[in-house]
């Protein structure tokens, strides 16, 4: 299944890095600044992949339709911007996967819905990403995932057709976008998963329960 793969693309949050602690802290600070009680990290974690929308839903039970949502979102952004790498870390095994790709001269990259406002300084602060051949943010193209536009842009930057790229993500939108672009897809069950955790229904070609599981598949290929 993976014998003709020539590049691997990854989602960022929940796939390569665990940013849930810092995302949750940014939203929780908004609560404590208002004299509200702090919420446990475990409540924020499943929704970390949804960014501001997910964090504000947990912290204040508001959605984008709420009249104060835009102001709250910007406050959340500012909090997060000031502390993006305090408790964020690379998932165990990810460095091994990237090293293996580099040894095979197989290019790799990132396609995330995180805005470049955050993606750029975050990836620049973490040495892991210095070898990435493409980093596509949620506002790099006119559409974010689940639209395939970011996937096509990443493939263009790699100089490869989408059909020979593998995309790994922990959200249904990742799999939908990858499939729409004609890529092979891998669902990372160790990630945040969002509100819908039935990854078997996403239609991914493979499922992995750790980054090293992906390395095993690539080694077999």
């Amino acid at each position: 299944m993976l014998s003709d793969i020539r590049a691997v693309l990854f989602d960022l949050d929940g796939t390569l890095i665990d940013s849930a602690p810092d995302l949750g802290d940014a939203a929780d600070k908004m609560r404590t600044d208002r004299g509200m009680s702090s919420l446990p990290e475990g409540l924020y974690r499943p929704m970390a992949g949804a960014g501001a929308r997910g964090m504000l839903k947990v912290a204040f039970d508001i959605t984008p339709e709420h009249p104060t949502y835009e102001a709250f979102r910007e406050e959340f952004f500012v909090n997060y911007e000031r502390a993006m790498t305090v408790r964020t870390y690379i998932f165990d095994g990810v460095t091994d996967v990237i090293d293996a790709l580099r040894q095979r001269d197989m290019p790799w990259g990132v396609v995330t819905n995180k805005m470049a406002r955050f993606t750029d300084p975050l990836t620049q602060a973490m040495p892991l990403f210095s070898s990435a051949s493409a980093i596509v943010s949620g506002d790099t193209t006119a559409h974010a995932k689940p639209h395939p536009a970011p996937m096509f842009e990443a493939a263009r930057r790699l100089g490869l057709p989408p059909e020979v790229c593998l995309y790994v993500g922990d959200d249904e939108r990742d799999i939908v976008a990858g499939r729409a672009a004609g890529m092979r897809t891998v669902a990372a069950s160790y990630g945040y998963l969002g509100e819908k955790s039935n990854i078997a229904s996403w239609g991914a070609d493979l499922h992995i329960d750790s980054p090293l599981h992906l390395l095993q598949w690539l080694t077999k290929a």
Side-chain angles (χ1 to χ4, degrees):
M1 182 181 294
L2 304 183
S3 60
D4 60 342
I5 293 299
R6 295 171 57 192
V8 182
L9 296 166
F10 300 89
D11 177 45
L12 184 60
D13 302 84
T15 302
L16 293 177
I17 63 172
D18 187 353
S19 53
D22 286 331
L23 287 165
D25 285 349
D28 212 53
K29 184 178 186 302
M30 295 174 64
R31 286 180 58 88
T32 56
D33 284 350
R34 289 166 171 77
M36 302 170 69
S37 61
S38 178
L39 296 177
E41 183 182 314
L43 292 180
Y44 292 108
R45 172 169 291 278
M47 298 305 298
R53 177 172 51 84
M55 297 298 93
L56 293 176
K57 174 66 175 175
V58 174
F60 299 101
D61 196 25
I62 62 172
T63 63
E65 294 74 31
H66 195 279
T68 64
Y69 180 82
E70 291 300 322
F72 273 40
R73 185 178 70 162
E74 183 56 30
E75 182 180 345
F76 167 81
F77 284 162
V78 171
N79 285 350
Y80 180 57
E81 212 163 20
R82 290 173 176 167
M84 285 189 290
T85 58
V86 175
R87 295 205 292 146
T88 291
Y89 65 92
I90 299 165
F91 280 115
D92 289 342
V94 165
T95 299
D96 294 327
V97 172
I98 300 305
D99 287 346
L101 294 177
R102 296 178 64 189
Q103 289 171 9
R104 292 166 169 77
D105 292 322
M106 184 178 288
W108 71 281
V110 173
V111 183
T112 175
N113 274 359
K114 210 181 196 79
M115 292 189 296
R117 170 181 175 180
F118 311 109
T119 306
D120 292 347
L122 180 63
T123 55
Q124 289 165 12
M126 304 182 80
L128 173 78
F129 298 97
S130 63
S131 62
S133 298
I135 296 180
V136 176
S137 299
D139 51 354
T140 299
T141 65
H143 304 280
K145 299 174 293 184
H147 197 282
M151 319 303 289
F152 288 131
E153 175 61 18
R156 186 192 69 79
R157 294 187 182 190
L158 295 178
L160 293 169
E163 293 78 14
V164 298
C165 296
L166 181 72
Y167 187 61
V168 186
D170 69 311
D171 191 282
E172 186 174 13
R173 293 170 297 176
D174 299 327
I175 307 307
V176 171
R179 289 177 51 133
M183 298 181 180
R184 245 69 59 81
T185 57
V186 178
S189 64
Y190 60 85
Y192 304 138
L193 305 184
E195 294 177 302
K196 299 178 180 179
S197 58
N198 182 21
I199 63 173
S201 67
W202 295 358
D205 295 294
L206 294 171
H207 300 92
I208 57 172
D209 53 21
S210 74
L212 289 178
H213 194 182
L214 174 65
L215 185 55
Q216 293 170 10
W217 280 106
L218 292 173
T219 300
K220 290 178 182 178

